[in-house]
Amino acid sequence: MGSRWGINRTVGQIYALLYISPRPLCADDIVEALGVSRSNVSMSLRELQSWNLVLLRHLPDDRRDFFTTPDDVWQILRTLAEGRKRREIDPTLSFLREALMEPPANPAEAHAQAKMRDMHALIEQLTGWYDDVKTLETERLATLLALGARVTKLLETKDKIVALGSSKRDGRKT
């Protein structure tokens, strides 16, 4: 899965091993389990730590660093989403903002800017939605995700209620 998500194979293997392990593992355990070099394990662990995907643990009477992953898969999802937003979405928005600040030199640039403005507005709307959703409690988020496309029925009901309220204010019968 890791290589499909744009991370190198070893990083993905280490994360998978830590995730399924019933106990925290040290670098030596990881080297032995995966048959990769110690330096590759160290670099991969640093990368996972920089993404806040692994937790450092210390065991009594052992000076080595041990690693594990969060137990809550929702926390892992939130961490992955936030990291991707920070690394991919935020720089894209910055680039679009800068490009839109430049006055177009010709009709082709004006057309390109109009397209970029649409893209910028969509990404801004999506990031605003993400900012709202990421603060939801896990139970609420799971319910929202379970709704899927059925959320349109909820929106249709809301539209009917709003229309009913508007017609009553206007003195119309329904």
Side-chain angles (χ1 to χ4, degrees):
M1 282 174 39
S3 61
R4 295 187 192 282
W5 287 5
I7 60 173
N8 87 38
R9 179 180 170 89
T10 305
V11 171
Q13 288 176 320
I14 290 171
Y15 192 78
L17 178 64
L18 292 171
Y19 181 73
I20 64 170
S21 177
R23 63 181 177 79
L25 302 175
C26 69
D28 295 332
D29 297 332
I30 297 168
V31 167
E32 184 179 323
L34 298 179
V36 295
S37 72
R38 179 76 159 84
S39 62
N40 200 351
V41 168
S42 293
M43 287 187 320
S44 298
L45 286 169
R46 276 195 297 277
E47 187 171 340
L48 288 166
Q49 284 179 297
S50 74
W51 296 343
N52 297 315
L53 286 172
V54 295
L55 306 170
L56 181 62
R57 297 280 187 251
H58 290 101
L59 302 181
D61 300 323
D62 198 324
R63 296 179 57 204
R64 297 177 295 178
D65 291 336
F66 287 80
F67 301 90
T68 189
T69 63
D71 291 329
D72 181 4
V73 293
W74 288 95
Q75 181 57 44
I76 295 168
L77 173 69
R78 284 179 170 98
T79 301
L80 286 169
E82 189 61 35
R84 292 207 83 137
K85 179 184 175 292
R86 187 179 60 253
R87 288 187 309 277
E88 298 168 21
I89 303 300
D90 292 347
T92 301
L93 280 173
S94 292
F95 170 79
L96 288 170
R97 277 188 208 103
E98 289 174 18
L100 292 171
M101 290 176 65
E102 294 293 321
N106 55 50
E109 284 186 16
H111 176 78
Q113 275 193 343
K115 295 288 192 175
M116 286 188 282
R117 195 171 292 104
D118 291 344
M119 183 60 66
H120 179 267
L122 174 63
I123 295 172
E124 282 282 357
Q125 188 173 18
L126 285 170
T127 56
W129 175 83
Y130 167 75
D131 288 340
D132 291 342
V133 168
K134 75 179 181 184
T135 64
L136 292 176
E137 295 172 7
T138 298
E139 187 176 304
R140 289 267 190 207
L141 183 57
T143 301
L144 177 64
L145 290 176
L147 280 173
R150 293 181 308 218
V151 77
T152 58
K153 290 181 183 175
L154 181 63
L155 294 173
E156 289 167 359
T157 302
K158 179 213 60 119
D159 291 343
K160 288 177 185 174
I161 292 170
V162 168
L164 180 63
S166 295
S167 64
K168 285 188 175 186
R169 276 194 306 270
D170 295 343
R172 292 179 272 155
K173 290 185 180 180
T174 56

